[in-house]
Amino acid sequence: MTAEQKATAKKALGITVQIAALLVITLQYAKSFSTPAMSAIGAAYAPAGVDSLMLKNIEGLPSLMAIVGAFAVGILERYMKKKTMLIIAMACTLVGGVVAGLMPETIEGFYGILACRVVLGFGRGMIFPMASSFIADLFEGRQRDRLMSFKTAVGGLSGSVFQLIGGFLAVMSWRYSFIGYLFIIPIVAMIVLWLPEPDVKPAGMTADGKRGNALKSITVAAWIVILLAGVWNFFQFSYFTNISLCIKEAGLGDTGFAGIISSTQTLAAAVGAICYGAFLKGRLRGFDLPIALLGEAVGFWILTHIVSVPGYYAGAIVYGLAFGMFNPALILQIVKVLPKEGATLGLSLLAAAQNLCQYFSAYVLAFFAGLMGVAATGQFAGWNVAWPLATAMAVLVAVIIVITKAKHPELIAGLKEPGKQADIEKTV
């Protein structure tokens, strides 16, 4: 395709394509449908001998299989079209979700649910990198940056909506929360009909169609981003695992209050992502990531030092705003240091690293809690580890950015786009 043909194709990417690209991330959060039904599932399968430890696999298996799914994207893109991979991922999400609700209330039926969660998790892992890679492949410049930010907001809000629907359905029956996955069918239809196949060759593919070493497309800078993002996920994920436990231990409220605080954080994350894409991107002199990390550190500090109802609203808002800013800034940074053909593979490696570190988060936090002498703080130990290490991580990232800006400013995603590029984007 010539440069003129590519320019024409870019102009053809109208509102429906943008909507379809943003809708991909909603499927990542479809797991939220069944989250409110955990206690009902436990009660239904208790007579069959299913204990609380076995029950946790319903939530744990999708996260573990997401690692495999994310890796699979980087491999499969060399053998099939990206949209075909996306259709496979959507089918896994839909089938893995709905079929689980048809299982009998026996031990065999419970293992059937776990098998469905394996399928769901694999699809979920595939969707995460592709939700970003389709935007990176189809759009450029400011439009790409805005869509990356809006993607984070859309994902968070859809997760909240799915969880509300799942909670309403779970009141009637735990089965209905799984049947609720049928609600994603209109989303799947819009993606299939509106989202085009990107005109980007896979990583490692030569001009004559031969398959080379795909990992050669992953730059040293990209490996550094993947490593640091994975390490940070050890600590960042503690907010989500500890929020309800800390509220209960502090005596601030029941599960209803925990749900309100979680919703507050989700809304704040959506606002943070939208604000970042709308006017913060390009105004922070490239220090987007360390500023977001400091924001998360402040959020953790508030949650551990101002243990009150107002304090938890404030902590959730501060953490949410920073979290909403961190995610699009991270995706844009890794896309910035990758060649176009390496974006999908790089994003799949990033997703795999984040999911892997997320899975082992509790063990790493327990280790550091003992090392830092905060294990005695109970459920707050994870956050007492997270806020100082988030501060240290912010300083480290800031130092890396200062050094990189001095020698290779073109590798920093948070800098302003050249004026010429801005003018081009106005025509898209």
Side-chain angles (χ1 to χ4, degrees):
M1 182 179 286
T2 65
E4 184 178 349
Q5 288 174 323
K6 288 183 178 181
T8 303
K10 292 289 182 184
K11 291 181 180 180
L13 300 178
I15 188 66
T16 55
V17 177
Q18 295 177 46
I19 290 173
L22 289 173
L23 284 176
V24 175
I25 193 61
T26 63
L27 302 174
Q28 166 78 11
Y29 291 84
K31 188 171 77 76
S32 302
F33 276 118
S34 54
T35 300
M38 289 297 293
S39 59
I41 297 171
Y45 281 92
V50 174
D51 57 24
S52 60
L53 186 61
M54 295 171 67
L55 192 66
K56 289 181 180 179
N57 285 313
I58 292 179
E59 290 296 299
L61 276 176
S63 296
L64 185 61
M65 284 304 300
I67 302 170
V68 181
F71 270 125
V73 169
I75 298 171
L76 292 176
E77 73 157 339
R78 308 179 72 191
Y79 301 96
M80 61 179 66
K81 294 181 178 180
K82 290 182 180 179
K83 192 168 179 179
T84 302
M85 289 193 296
L86 183 57
I87 291 172
I88 292 172
M90 293 189 294
C92 288
T93 302
L94 188 58
V95 173
V98 175
V99 174
L102 306 178
M103 294 296 166
E105 293 179 358
T106 62
I107 190 65
E108 292 80 11
F110 180 76
Y111 286 123
I113 291 178
L114 295 186
C116 290
R117 301 302 274 182
V118 168
V119 175
L120 174 78
F122 182 79
R124 185 169 177 259
M126 292 181 70
I127 286 168
F128 183 78
M130 285 195 289
S132 298
S133 71
F134 267 94
I135 294 175
D137 290 343
L138 293 172
F139 304 95
E140 293 180 354
R142 292 182 179 180
Q143 187 180 37
R144 178 200 62 198
D145 296 353
R146 285 195 297 268
L147 288 173
M148 285 291 190
S149 300
F150 295 159
K151 173 183 71 71
T152 299
V154 169
L157 292 174
S158 65
S160 297
V161 172
F162 292 161
Q163 191 159 333
L164 286 172
I165 294 173
F168 174 76
L169 295 173
V171 171
M172 296 182 285
S173 170
W174 67 266
R175 296 183 184 279
Y176 291 159
S177 65
F178 286 107
I179 304 300
Y181 282 83
L182 291 173
F183 280 97
I184 70 173
I185 289 178
I187 295 175
V188 170
M190 285 187 280
I191 292 172
V192 171
L193 293 174
W194 294 347
L195 195 64
E197 176 70 27
D199 182 30
V200 178
K201 67 179 182 179
M205 190 70 73
T206 61
D208 57 359
K210 294 182 180 179
R211 298 185 183 95
N213 186 353
L215 290 178
K216 287 184 178 180
S217 65
I218 309 300
T219 62
V220 173
W223 283 118
I224 293 173
V225 174
I226 291 168
L227 174 63
L228 292 177
V231 169
W232 173 233
N233 229 36
F234 282 133
F235 312 106
Q236 180 175 243
F237 192 66
S238 66
Y239 174 88
F240 304 98
T241 55
N242 289 24
I243 185 66
S244 61
L245 297 173
C246 288
I247 287 174
K248 182 179 179 180
E249 184 168 299
L252 296 179
D254 55 14
T255 54
F257 178 67
I260 294 173
I261 291 297
S262 295
S263 298
T264 300
Q265 184 272 335
T266 299
L267 182 60
V271 173
I274 292 171
C275 289
Y276 178 72
F279 54 83
L280 286 178
K281 171 73 168 61
R283 298 175 184 270
L284 302 176
R285 300 190 176 186
F287 292 96
D288 310 42
L289 285 172
I291 290 173
L293 286 167
L294 281 176
E296 291 191 37
V298 172
F300 279 129
W301 186 90
I302 293 172
L303 292 169
T304 53
H305 290 76
I306 309 178
V307 186
S308 64
V309 171
Y312 266 54
Y313 275 110
I317 291 171
V318 172
Y319 180 87
L321 290 170
F323 182 80
M325 174 181 168
F326 176 83
N327 280 284
L330 173 63
I331 297 299
L332 290 172
Q333 182 56 66
I334 193 167
V335 169
K336 185 75 172 179
V337 298
L338 286 167
K340 193 81 170 179
E341 65 274 11
T344 298
L345 177 60
L347 288 165
S348 70
L349 292 171
L350 174 65
Q354 288 184 303
N355 278 289
L356 181 64
C357 294
Q358 174 181 313
Y359 186 77
F360 290 103
S361 172
Y363 305 102
V364 174
L365 287 171
F367 171 77
F368 275 96
L371 195 65
M372 297 169 65
V374 296
T377 58
Q379 299 295 349
F380 291 90
W383 293 348
N384 280 319
V385 167
W387 76 259
L389 290 182
T391 305
M393 179 72 81
V395 173
L396 173 63
V397 174
V399 170
I400 293 174
I401 289 172
V402 168
I403 295 172
T404 306
K405 279 178 68 177
K407 297 182 178 181
H408 299 285
E410 71 279 2
L411 296 179
I412 305 300
L415 299 178
K416 286 186 177 181
E417 296 282 348
K420 183 177 180 181
Q421 179 65 28
D423 292 336
I424 292 172
E425 292 302 320
K426 291 178 182 178
T427 66
V428 178

